[in-house]
Amino acid sequence: MGFNDKKQLVPDAFLSGVLVVSCVFGTLLLIGWLLKYSAYGIDFTDESFYLVWISNPFIYDVSVTQFGFIYHPLYCLLNGDIAVLRQANVLITFGLAWALCYVFLSSLAPEFKESRASMCAAAAGFATSSFILLDSRLFTPSYNSLALQALLVSSIGLVLAEKNAHRKSSIGWVLIGVGGWLAFMAKPSTAIALAVGVLIYLLLSRKYSIRMLALAVFSAVALLLASALLIDGSVLRFVERLQLGVEFGKYLAGGHTFNQILRVDDFQLSGIFNLAIFSIFSVLFTALWSMRLSNKSWLFVGLIISFSFFFITSKFTVGQAQLAFDFGGFKSFLIFGVVYAAVAYVFVFGRFKALYTITASQWAIALIFLVMPHFYAFGTNGNYWQAGGSAAIFWLLAGLALLGPLLRERASWSFVLPLALATQAITAVLLQSGFEQPYRQPQPLRFNTAILELGPQKSQLVLSDAYSEYVSSAVAIAQEAGFEPNMPVIDLSGQSPGVLYAFGAENIGQAWTIGGYPGSLILAQAALARTACWKVANAWVLFEPEGPRSIPAELMTGLGADFPGGYGHVGTWQTAEGAGGYAYRRTQKLYKPLKPQQTMSACLMLRAEVAQ
């Protein structure tokens, strides 16, 4: 059957309606599932660092990422409720993804104005792939979520932007600028990659316009200048913040230098994983082929396959399946099963004649979507393919970009619904694996039963019994010793920003005094050297003797403190198994300053000597 054959290929209204309803319910089930589990669990390292940074970012004057300042108003608006903050992050991410999918699908067949229900349902189904970002069970807003949200905003702008100036086009160019600003606030490295990608896209799509590009640049620069003034009161001080952030990153020796991030990574997929991708492709392509036929029996086959994907989504989201598949670090590559099915469908049924009708703009957007996950990952010290998988929604959209000719031929969105249902099922499988093996937590989230009020805002979270006991013991000991909210603390454990957040403490020097890296001590010294001596002198100390990430106690000597001689030991507790990613329990101790005046004098004297 050729591309120009105008035979009615659309499944009947009943089958189409079933697919639409299934897709809508699949989306709602996934969202509800994530909103429920937003109150479950916590990671005491990375995720707690995000909370500390968001809760009070203005006390730190050195940072490369500014995500804390972007999310701080949201934190205040939600009264610091961790569960609600996570829920807001889920909804913001999905809302942006849905908007992108909607405008993108509309752009593939702009002349087709009917059957918007099918398109909206499909767009929502595809948008659930943005939840792959959350499959490590870190729902709290972070530089990662902000980077993805920035790329979503920029991509909406790229789809809407045109060479000519009109309302929709102008909005698109402004959104490109807004997305670029957000990307810079999340990860400057991502912003740089995005800027290069946008310029290439504009040239390839023939949308390049100096006047309209100036609008995007103006939007980004204006927002960046406003941010600099709001954050530091001065552009020069903001620049100094960034420069010192880069310098401090070099101290840590964590693999974030320019030479280290400018690289090409590879990936390896197991035979079983390749078989899983091929199975998704084969089954999904069969469904698409079946629904192309006018034969009722074959249409029913396509419906059964499509409904099977919905069945998988529903089984996981309502808690009737607790399987955890170990697909390895590149598990997000499962989405390529959908991508391959879409591309194969175009080549088999549209043939090369269909490809000729794809516009330069559509080819260009497919190309930039294909590399967008690398923009997202650029700058990380991990494998770019693995990290970029969190932005797998763009790989999906790159494959869908070729469907334009067939959308126009069929005059219906119904045939893309099996692709959306498969996307939902894959997302559910990946999320379930994350829930069963949550990041640096001891057990599947469904086993958590202990309700604990955590942090200064008393956020209610459902934790494991061991985690609840760990936090409760630490907080009780601190409070009995006279610790009060907003008191400064120096964390020598190297891995406990979550404990300090539970205290309501002020983490001085860094939001997370991170240990375990070659330059952890040097970084801690540099950060605390910029902290007022009176804060250093009055700071309590959290110490983890012989901990795997402990900061050497010599840090205190360099600050003018006599540790532990000048401090009173007020309590000891055991960490929980799994805390910080370690299966064994460790001992942590809390110390209270006994000679703050003496410490402050020594601190001032040492800094005077350094200044001379």
Side-chain angles (χ1 to χ4, degrees):
M1 187 176 292
F3 169 67
N4 290 319
D5 191 343
K6 298 302 182 181
K7 182 180 180 180
Q8 179 62 37
L9 301 173
V10 183
D12 63 45
F14 173 75
L15 295 181
S16 178
V18 169
L19 293 178
V20 170
V21 172
S22 298
C23 197
V24 170
F25 272 97
T27 299
L28 294 176
L29 286 171
L30 282 167
I31 293 174
W33 196 31
L34 289 171
L35 295 182
K36 171 190 173 182
Y37 275 110
S38 292
Y40 282 66
I42 191 169
D43 162 44
F44 291 113
T45 54
D46 295 76
E47 188 175 28
S48 295
F49 156 65
Y50 306 152
L51 287 170
V52 171
W53 184 223
I54 292 170
S55 64
N56 192 4
F58 292 95
I59 64 174
Y60 307 107
D61 63 355
V62 177
S63 56
V64 174
T65 173
Q66 318 307 326
F67 75 91
F69 297 102
I70 297 297
Y71 289 124
H72 179 66
L74 182 64
Y75 180 90
C76 295
L77 178 66
L78 301 177
N79 197 32
D81 189 309
I82 298 173
V84 179
L85 183 66
R86 292 170 173 174
Q87 291 172 342
N89 194 38
V90 168
L91 295 176
I92 290 170
T93 301
F94 175 75
L96 292 173
W98 192 2
L100 171 59
C101 292
Y102 181 86
V103 299
F104 174 66
L105 291 179
S106 297
S107 72
L108 296 180
E111 70 281 2
F112 182 57
K113 303 298 183 183
E114 298 179 3
S115 189
R116 288 293 177 178
S118 296
M119 190 186 73
C120 288
F126 293 132
T128 60
S129 62
S130 64
F131 295 149
I132 293 175
L133 169 74
L134 309 174
D135 68 359
S136 63
R137 236 309 301 166
L138 296 181
F139 289 9
T140 300
S142 66
Y143 58 89
N144 289 318
S145 63
L146 183 59
L148 178 61
Q149 290 161 6
L151 294 178
L152 293 172
V153 171
S154 292
S155 297
I156 295 171
L158 291 175
V159 175
L160 295 178
E162 299 290 344
K163 191 170 184 177
N164 299 323
H166 51 80
R167 184 172 177 271
K168 186 173 76 171
S169 175
S170 298
I171 292 174
W173 286 99
V174 170
L175 288 177
I176 292 173
V178 172
W181 163 68
L182 288 174
F184 186 87
M185 300 298 279
K187 291 170 55 184
S189 55
T190 291
I192 293 171
L194 176 62
V196 174
V198 166
L199 287 176
I200 294 174
Y201 165 78
L202 293 175
L203 292 173
L204 293 178
S205 65
R206 300 167 189 166
K207 289 184 177 181
Y208 183 80
S209 165
I210 295 179
R211 182 163 65 103
M212 301 307 291
L213 181 60
L215 176 61
V217 172
F218 174 80
S219 301
V221 172
L223 288 168
L224 187 58
L225 290 176
S227 301
L229 295 176
L230 289 172
I231 292 170
D232 289 312
S234 162
V235 174
L236 291 178
R237 280 201 290 269
F238 185 72
V239 171
E240 182 184 6
R241 167 190 291 276
L242 296 172
Q243 290 175 334
L244 287 172
V246 173
E247 185 177 337
F248 280 20
K250 294 178 181 177
Y251 292 157
L252 190 62
H256 295 95
T257 64
F258 180 76
N259 290 334
Q260 290 171 313
I261 66 175
L262 196 62
R263 66 181 189 274
V264 177
D265 290 329
D266 58 7
F267 60 87
Q268 293 183 344
L269 305 180
S270 67
I272 294 178
F273 190 78
N274 279 317
L275 179 60
I277 295 176
F278 179 75
S279 299
I280 294 170
F281 157 72
S282 301
V283 172
L284 186 52
F285 183 80
T286 300
L288 294 174
W289 175 75
S290 300
M291 293 184 63
R292 185 176 179 85
L293 302 175
S294 57
N295 182 282
K296 294 288 185 180
S297 298
W298 280 111
L299 285 174
F300 188 71
V301 170
L303 176 65
I304 292 299
I305 294 175
S306 301
F307 194 76
S308 296
F309 287 123
F310 171 73
F311 180 75
I312 292 172
T313 301
S314 61
K315 289 288 283 187
F316 281 117
T317 53
V318 300
Q320 293 183 352
Q322 285 88 35
L323 297 175
F325 300 97
D326 186 10
F327 291 124
F330 302 100
K331 54 189 175 182
S332 57
F333 277 40
L334 279 180
I335 204 70
F336 278 104
V338 181
V339 175
Y340 295 156
V343 173
Y345 187 75
V346 173
F347 276 93
V348 172
F349 296 109
R351 301 178 184 175
F352 287 101
K353 189 177 294 185
L355 300 181
Y356 296 148
T357 66
I358 298 177
T359 66
S361 174
Q362 290 169 346
W363 281 114
I365 201 70
L367 176 62
I368 195 171
F369 282 165
L370 197 61
V371 297
M372 197 74 84
H374 268 63
F375 295 171
Y376 168 85
F378 186 58
T380 183
N381 59 357
N383 183 284
Y384 282 167
W385 288 100
Q386 182 175 342
S390 295
I393 183 175
F394 292 107
W395 287 331
L396 173 64
L397 295 180
L400 298 179
L402 304 184
L403 291 177
L406 297 183
L407 284 168
R408 291 190 292 273
E409 173 197 357
R410 296 179 62 112
S412 171
W413 298 95
S414 298
F415 85 98
V416 303
L417 290 171
L419 297 169
L421 289 166
T423 298
Q424 293 173 335
I426 291 171
T427 301
V429 168
L430 295 180
L431 288 173
Q432 175 65 21
S433 296
F435 291 158
E436 291 294 299
Q437 302 168 334
Y439 183 72
R440 292 182 177 173
Q441 297 184 58
Q443 63 185 23
L445 295 181
R446 58 192 168 89
F447 291 152
N448 290 3
T449 57
I451 299 177
L452 181 72
E453 292 184 343
L454 185 74
Q457 307 301 332
K458 306 298 182 183
S459 301
Q460 285 195 348
L461 295 179
V462 185
L463 308 180
S464 68
D465 291 340
Y467 268 33
S468 178
E469 180 183 353
Y470 169 34
V471 175
S472 298
S473 298
V475 171
I477 289 172
Q479 290 177 344
E480 289 174 6
F483 188 89
E484 297 180 0
N486 298 318
M487 282 185 169
V489 176
I490 296 174
D491 179 13
L492 294 183
S493 75
Q495 58 177 328
S496 302
V499 176
L500 271 60
Y501 183 83
F503 289 173
E506 180 181 318
N507 303 25
I508 63 174
Q510 306 169 74
W512 177 8
T513 305
I514 188 170
Y517 288 90
S520 290
L521 175 60
I522 298 174
L523 175 59
Q525 290 170 333
L528 287 168
R530 299 180 61 83
T531 304
C533 280
W534 70 266
K535 278 192 177 182
V536 172
N538 287 279
W540 294 43
V541 178
L542 177 62
F543 187 48
E544 187 175 305
E546 301 180 358
R549 283 193 166 195
S550 290
I551 307 293
E554 66 183 86
L555 170 67
M556 303 301 295
T557 304
L559 297 172
D562 176 19
F563 181 81
Y567 291 76
H569 176 223
V570 299
T572 300
W573 59 83
Q574 294 290 307
T575 67
E577 293 182 4
Y582 298 95
Y584 57 92
R585 304 181 72 183
R586 290 100 54 200
T587 299
Q588 291 186 335
K589 299 182 177 182
L590 185 63
Y591 291 85
K592 179 179 182 178
L594 299 178
K595 304 174 182 179
Q597 194 60 45
Q598 179 178 318
T599 300
M600 187 168 72
S601 298
C603 176
L604 292 170
M605 186 179 299
L606 285 171
R607 293 188 181 182
E609 291 175 358
V610 171
Q612 288 179 352

